[in-house]
Amino acid sequence: MRAGRNRWRPGAGACRNVGMTTVTPPLVLEPVLADDEGALREWFELAAAAQAHDVPAGPPPCWVAHRTQLSVPWPGEETSAWLARSDGALVGVVELTLPTLDNLDTALGQIVVAPEHRRRGIGRHLLAHLTDQARAAGRVRLIGEAHAPLDGPGSGGPFAAAAGAREALLDVRRRLALPVDEALLDRLEAEARARAADYELEQWTGDTPPQWRAEIARLTARMSTDAPLGELAWQPEHHDAQRVAGRDAMCRARGYRMTLTAARHGDRLVGFSEIAVTTSYPQHASQWDTIVDPDHRGHRLGMLLKVANLRLAQEQHPEMRTVDTYNAASNSYMIAINEAMGFRPLDRLGEWQLELG
Ligand SMILES: CC(C)(COP(=O)(O)OP(=O)(O)OC[C@H]1O[C@@H](n2cnc3c(N)ncnc32)[C@H](O)[C@@H]1OP(=O)(O)O)[C@@H](O)C(=O)NCCC(=O)NCCS
């Protein structure tokens, strides 16, 4: 899982539902085809407008990443999307992602209604479509994400609660303003180094070197078992060298520029931390996975990895001004590292789970 765990992260594949569905109030659902640039653009513009309204702290979505959402899958996922029109106007978008290698009983969904068309029952209709599609694909639960400010409910949480979903996990997003004081980074690195004398760092940008794919796969799988999951019914993910290579190809196609630092002990990798930057907004970076093998915890590797990786990412992208990271509110160890580096709470992300019965 990606840090921040956007579990509905868009994958690919042909749309399964090629028919048009009409619901009341007159709402027409049109499947988005992977190569339909016009439909992808409409979807993007609605997503950007909704995000500016709901999550003004940004960053805005990246068009380069968005336009390949359906044509270049995250390995192990398939995504379908539908545009919802009323009297010809685009009023909403609904997305369904089906894990294909693990979590085969779960579907990930996302509904966005244009801000000026809310509270008219459109969201409810789109959710009915999503649950029908998920059931038809043999899924017994649906998981969706909803942003909310630190001091208010937002729109997605109350909507999900009204639909009978429960908040199974609460993440808090923290933001780091750059540059961080070099003296602070030096001190944190030196403290961590003093406890991590037996470890070397390996660093790269872009694709995973082939000799490390299996090791990165083993550690990535642990993200789905070791990070706090709350009451989320998320089962262990299966990762192998092929899936890592597939993810690298997806990142390349979507214009994600990756920076990764790993800790090596002998010939094994025992932890890593990665940062992603989009093509459109390189001033804004996202912390993705950070993981340390349980046998090697207690050596301050988490801090060592994050400080070294931040430095490498800043070298690669001098225009970087902020880094965002999502942590389960209960993940005290990771949060302590982030707070020490200067990350501060920005908003919340609820993971809502609906049993389909
Ligand atoms: C959440 C969202 C999809 C709802 O769309 P919508 O068309 O306004 O939803 P509906 O009109 O069908 O609302 C259904 C019920 O949800 C609840 N609800 C929806 N929005 C709410 C809000 N802002 N505050 C409180 N309750 C809300 C209400 O119970 C509502 O019924 P009511 O209007 O009869 O009281 C829309 O606000 C949105 O796009 N938000 C940003 C993206 C997001 O968070 N998606 C949800 C992911 S789980």
Side-chain angles (χ1 to χ4, degrees), residues 54 111-113 118-124 145 155-156 158-159 162:
D54 300 314
I111 297 169
V112 179
V113 174
R118 291 183 184 172
R119 300 308 288 269
R120 295 181 197 168
I122 294 172
R124 220 187 311 250
E145 297 186 333
S155 57
F159 167 77

Side-chain angles (χ1 to χ4, degrees), residues 4-28:
R5 274 202 278 282
N6 296 326
R7 283 199 185 77
W8 53 273
R9 58 195 176 192
C15 290
R16 282 171 292 283
N17 181 358
V18 291
M20 305 250 278
T21 313
T22 308
V23 293
T24 309
L27 202 61
V28 178

Side-chain angles (χ1 to χ4, degrees), residues 142-190:
L142 185 62
I143 295 174
E145 297 186 333
H147 266 102
L150 288 175
D151 58 355
S155 57
F159 167 77
R166 69 196 163 98
E167 193 177 50
L169 183 65
L170 176 62
D171 287 339
V172 173
R173 173 165 61 154
R174 286 178 171 73
R175 178 165 287 178
L176 180 66
L178 301 177
V180 180
D181 181 6
E182 279 300 319
L184 172 66
L185 292 181
D186 285 345
R187 178 171 64 76
L188 294 173
E189 190 173 32

Side-chain angles (χ1 to χ4, degrees), residues 258-340:
M258 307 302 299
T259 303
L260 188 144
T261 299
R264 181 172 57 76
H265 188 254
D267 59 358
R268 308 295 305 267
L269 296 187
V270 299
F272 73 85
S273 183
E274 58 185 345
I275 285 176
V277 168
T278 63
T279 304
S280 307
Y281 298 100
Q283 63 276 35
H284 181 91
S286 296
Q287 175 70 52
W288 284 18
D289 291 348
T290 298
I291 181 89
V292 174
D293 187 312
D295 292 344
H296 297 269
R297 292 184 188 158
H299 294 279
R300 300 274 167 92
L301 291 177
M303 180 65 85
L304 191 64
L305 290 167
K306 289 203 70 164
V307 170
N309 203 46
L310 176 66
R311 285 189 149 141
L312 179 61
Q314 283 188 280
E315 266 168 46
Q316 297 293 314
H317 310 288
E319 63 276 48
M320 253 171 69
R321 291 294 170 268
T322 53
V323 186
D324 283 0
T325 187
Y326 289 82
N327 304 114
S330 59
N331 195 347
S332 53
Y333 175 66
M334 198 71 251
I335 290 170
I337 292 175
N338 291 334
E339 290 274 342

